Amino acid sequence: MAPSLDFSNWWPKDARKGTPVVVKMENPNYSVVEIDGPDAAFRPVEKSRGKNAKQVTWVLLLKAHRAVGCIAWIASFFWALLGTIKKRLIFRQDVAMAIIKAFLLTSLTILAFEVVAYLKGWHYFRNPSLHIPRSTDIQGSLHLVYVTWLSVRADYIAPPIQALSKFCVALFLIQSVDRMILSLGCFWIKYKKIKPRIEGDPFKSDDVEGSAYEYPMVLVQIPMCNEREVYEQSISAVCQLDWPKDRLLVQVLDDSDDESIQYLIKAEVAKWNQKGVNIIYRHRLVRTGYKAGNLKSAMSCEYVQAYEFVAIFDADFQPNPDFLKQTVPHFKDNPDLGLVQARWTFVNKDENLLTRLQNINLCFHFEVEQQVNGVFLNFFGFNGTAGVWRIKALEESGGWLERTTVEDMDIAVRAHLNGWKFIFLNDVKVLCEVPESYEAYRKQQHRWHSGPMHLFRLCLPAIITSKIAIWKKANLILLFFLLRKLILPFYSFTLFCIILPLTMFVPEAELPVWVICYVPVFMSFLNILPSPKSFPFIVPYLLFENTMSVTKFNAMVSGLFQLGSSYEWVVTKKAGRSSESDLLASAERESKIMNQLQIQRGASESELSELNRLKEQKEAAPVPVKRVNKIYRKELTLAFLLLTASVRSLLSAQGVHFYFLLFQGVTFLLVGLDLIGEQMS
């Protein structure tokens, strides 16, 4: 018998792509199906063969797995891209300055070129695309270069600028609508006279001996750091609060690293302690976490458990004696209330032009933003001071965290996610200061605009997974963070400081007059309504807000990408000013306390000598310090860019654009030379 020479088993009959998958069904009614790939179930099959539901489900799962893998790859790509951008920004955090310089050099070059073209009679400024000459009309090589520039500008440069300007204008209009809605809400509150009210007299009691039990236990905290100018007036105001002494404890939380200031604050605390005030001085050896770490350390004391509420005042705040009686009663019979916030008022608002402009912004913030959000949403950002917290709300929300420089906004967001409600009292005002120098104001604004973006990155997952209503999540993400903290500085800087001057050199992308004049003036008018005495400053206010967009945009980018400056805390410089009426009232209150209280324990000889030494040191004539003007390069560079663009606008006879660019450029120049506000010592 001949040997078998069948080699068909040595190789596969048909090569198949992919890995075969055998699915074994537990149900004996189904057959075993071999699937070559995710699309095998959707290939044409014989009509006699029935469709398998389990098979289709499995294939759909395979498709979903592949889709999820694709989405994950795209997400990882964009995450890596953001990481690369972040690294670039870390190595060169002044990238915005480089871009502005490039724009300035380019604009100067184009301006010189077009001035030459204007002098030669090549007037293609109104609508260059309609007046580009034919090839037979070229008058020379320079004319050819100019005509080529016109064509390239119209075909390649103008379209992206137009697209970006339309995007920024859309954001501008959305933000303007938000401001208008807030203003209408404020008008409605005033028209209906809506405000939180206290029912009856919560402290009235027929039992005289037991009347003290009507007052809850209140803890007052004064965090400070090297506050030589204002520590005395803040401690004095807090110690004169009208509240039973046995139901009140004052904590002076001193983070000063200057020993002379520590001694002065200790002496002030000892003075009020001898007058019968329950006051404690605390100093941390390790100053971590800035203000949040200071408050967290103070709340960890065992005796804090005996208190129900905590009031917080920064070192320059001077509450009236009836502050607690106007705020704490709102918590009664309102177990869901976590925070009562009072309004700020400023003792130095008329000191100079800078303080007047700040007063406009802060009046709108408190009377419109905070009041409207408090009435209609029961939520707003805690201002960090001049407020009373329910200690239970702080504890259930995780307490003070040191992860950002806006610990006040952080605890407010977490408390809101836990279901706590807030109340804003527009009628209860606490006296304080605004920065008088541009350097101090600039650092304050950097912290106030970088911190929220840093916080947004951290708390976004918690907002999405929280159990609050969907509309509250949308309000937090879209309005509270994105629109008012990210979009506002982005479009303000991009539209008015970059796109507008560029459009002078690219007339095809020219912005309409209503964008640069009518709408901004109307929005400035709305912002000034809460402080009607500031109407003469409407034009300086509009120009200065555009100038500050440079600092706010830089801070927003720093917080969004977690750059080094996003976790930088600089204590705002104070002047220690008080109005004459406040000084007289404070002296009168102190004299009454001295007459009513008898010092039961005297001081030792060492304490008396130390107090006398510190008093003499404080009353000694201060050494005169020379005040200098700082130079701000970004503002100066943008000033020259805007002034260059204003000169270019003269060539095309653009009246409104010229005046806006001229005045805006002069404003940048004044700010860049530090000619607004007090100079730094």
Side-chain angles (χ1 to χ4, degrees), residues 177 198 218 290:
V177 171
I198 302 174
V218 178
Y290 303 114

Side-chain angles (χ1 to χ4, degrees), residues 19 24 56 89 213 273 283 291 298 311 367 407 473 487 552 555 579 583 608 640 668:
T19 303
K24 295 183 179 181
V56 174
L89 291 174
Y213 293 99
N273 199 356
H283 178 75
K291 181 180 176 181
E367 189 158 344
E407 73 294 328
K473 296 181 182 180
I487 291 178
K552 296 176 182 179
S579 62
L583 290 174
L608 291 175
F640 294 131
F668 268 102

Side-chain angles (χ1 to χ4, degrees), residues 146-310:
Y146 182 67
V147 171
T148 304
W149 155 247
L150 294 181
S151 301
V152 172
R153 186 181 72 186
D155 297 336
Y156 301 102
I157 299 178
I161 294 179
Q162 288 176 335
L164 181 59
S165 63
K166 289 180 180 178
F167 177 69
C168 291
V169 168
L171 297 179
F172 178 37
L173 294 178
I174 293 173
Q175 198 271 338
S176 300
V177 171
D178 176 62
R179 286 285 174 112
M180 290 180 61
I181 293 175
L182 289 174
S183 299
L184 291 175
C186 183
F187 291 147
W188 180 259
I189 291 173
K190 288 186 174 296
Y191 175 71
K192 291 292 185 178
K193 298 181 180 179
I194 303 173
K195 65 177 182 179
R197 303 180 188 275
I198 302 174
E199 299 296 336
D201 187 359
F203 304 108
K204 186 177 180 181
S205 176
D206 296 333
D207 185 6
V208 178
E209 294 182 357
S211 60
Y213 293 99
E214 297 291 334
Y215 293 83
M217 300 288 286
V218 178
L219 176 69
V220 181
Q221 295 177 332
I222 313 176
M224 58 180 64
C225 179
N226 297 326
E227 307 280 4
R228 181 188 295 271
E229 296 81 9
V230 294
Y231 76 93
E232 186 175 6
Q233 60 194 33
S234 63
I235 294 177
S236 174
V238 169
C239 289
Q240 298 178 58
L241 288 172
D242 187 9
W243 204 257
K245 302 303 179 183
D246 58 337
R247 317 289 295 178
L248 179 70
L249 173 64
V250 179
Q251 283 183 322
V252 179
L253 312 177
D254 182 25
D255 262 0
S256 304
D257 53 8
D258 189 335
E259 292 186 358
S260 63
I261 300 178
Q262 294 178 24
Y263 289 141
L264 291 172
I265 298 175
K266 286 180 181 178
E268 186 69 17
V269 171
K271 182 183 75 173
W272 286 100
N273 199 356
Q274 291 178 352
K275 295 178 183 179
V277 179
N278 192 9
I279 184 171
I280 296 176
Y281 174 86
R282 282 181 54 86
H283 178 75
R284 294 192 301 163
L285 297 177
V286 180
R287 182 175 174 254
T288 58
Y290 303 114
K291 181 180 176 181
N294 199 359
L295 295 173
K296 182 180 179 180
S297 174
M299 293 298 294
S300 63
C301 299
E302 294 183 359
Y303 55 80
V304 174
Q305 299 177 1
Y307 293 84
E308 187 176 357
F309 305 104
V310 55

Side-chain angles (χ1 to χ4, degrees), residues 83-94:
T84 304
I85 295 175
K86 176 182 175 181
K87 290 180 181 178
R88 294 286 184 182
L89 291 174
I90 290 177
F91 285 117
R92 186 175 182 179
Q93 296 185 19
D94 212 7

Side-chain angles (χ1 to χ4, degrees), residues 421-637:
K421 297 180 180 180
F422 303 162
I423 283 181
F424 177 76
L425 302 178
N426 192 54
D427 296 334
V428 181
K429 301 177 181 180
V430 181
L431 198 65
C432 63
E433 290 186 19
V434 289
E436 297 182 7
S437 67
Y438 177 71
E439 175 68 13
Y441 179 64
R442 184 168 173 264
K443 291 180 179 180
Q444 182 195 67
Q445 292 300 306
H446 186 279
R447 176 165 56 88
W448 284 5
H449 286 81
S450 65
M453 286 295 96
H454 187 192
L455 176 63
F456 179 63
R457 288 173 54 104
L458 297 175
C459 68
L460 181 60
I463 296 175
I464 296 175
T465 58
S466 63
K467 298 180 180 180
I468 62 176
I470 296 179
W471 68 269
K472 291 184 178 181
K473 296 181 182 180
N475 173 69
L476 269 177
I477 297 175
L478 300 179
L479 295 181
F480 187 76
F481 279 111
L482 292 183
L483 182 60
R484 297 165 188 166
K485 303 297 188 297
L486 187 147
I487 291 178
L488 177 58
F490 170 76
Y491 85 74
S492 182
F493 171 74
T494 307
L495 186 63
F496 295 107
C497 299
I498 299 298
I499 294 179
L500 178 58
L502 284 182
T503 57
M504 297 297 99
F505 303 96
V506 186
E508 296 83 357
E510 179 183 342
L511 292 174
V513 176
W514 60 268
V515 172
I516 64 174
C517 181
Y518 301 145
V519 176
V521 170
F522 178 70
M523 299 312 300
S524 299
F525 176 79
L526 289 181
N527 287 356
I528 291 182
L529 282 179
S531 54
K533 293 183 179 180
S534 302
F535 270 106
F537 303 96
I538 184 171
V539 174
Y541 171 75
L542 171 61
L543 298 174
F544 182 71
E545 281 300 293
N546 291 334
T547 306
M548 285 304 301
S549 65
V550 181
T551 299
K552 296 176 182 179
F553 178 81
N554 186 36
M556 182 268 293
V557 174
S558 175
L560 191 61
F561 293 99
Q562 292 183 326
L563 304 182
S565 59
S566 65
Y567 198 69
E568 177 184 359
W569 183 294
V570 179
V571 179
T572 306
K573 185 70 175 177
K574 316 291 194 316
R577 300 186 186 275
S578 295
S579 62
E580 184 177 356
S581 60
D582 295 321
L583 290 174
L584 293 175
S586 177
E588 183 179 356
R589 290 195 301 265
E590 186 172 347
S591 63
K592 289 182 179 179
I593 292 178
M594 290 294 294
N595 293 332
Q596 294 175 359
L597 295 177
Q598 295 180 355
I599 301 177
Q600 298 180 357
R601 58 180 184 274
S604 62
E605 295 182 359
S606 59
E607 289 176 340
L608 291 175
S609 60
E610 182 68 17
L611 291 178
N612 292 331
R613 185 185 67 84
L614 291 172
K615 185 176 180 180
E616 293 175 358
Q617 177 183 354
K618 184 179 179 182
E619 293 177 351
V623 179
V625 181
K626 183 180 179 180
R627 297 180 180 271
V628 296
N629 292 67
K630 296 193 65 175
I631 302 297
Y632 302 99
R633 295 183 302 159
K634 287 190 182 70
E635 285 77 1
L636 282 179
T637 308

Side-chain angles (χ1 to χ4, degrees), residues 410-427:
D410 188 2
I411 187 62
V413 171
R414 287 184 283 117
H416 180 57
L417 296 180
N418 280 275
W420 292 99
K421 297 180 180 180
F422 303 162
I423 283 181
F424 177 76
L425 302 178
N426 192 54
D427 296 334

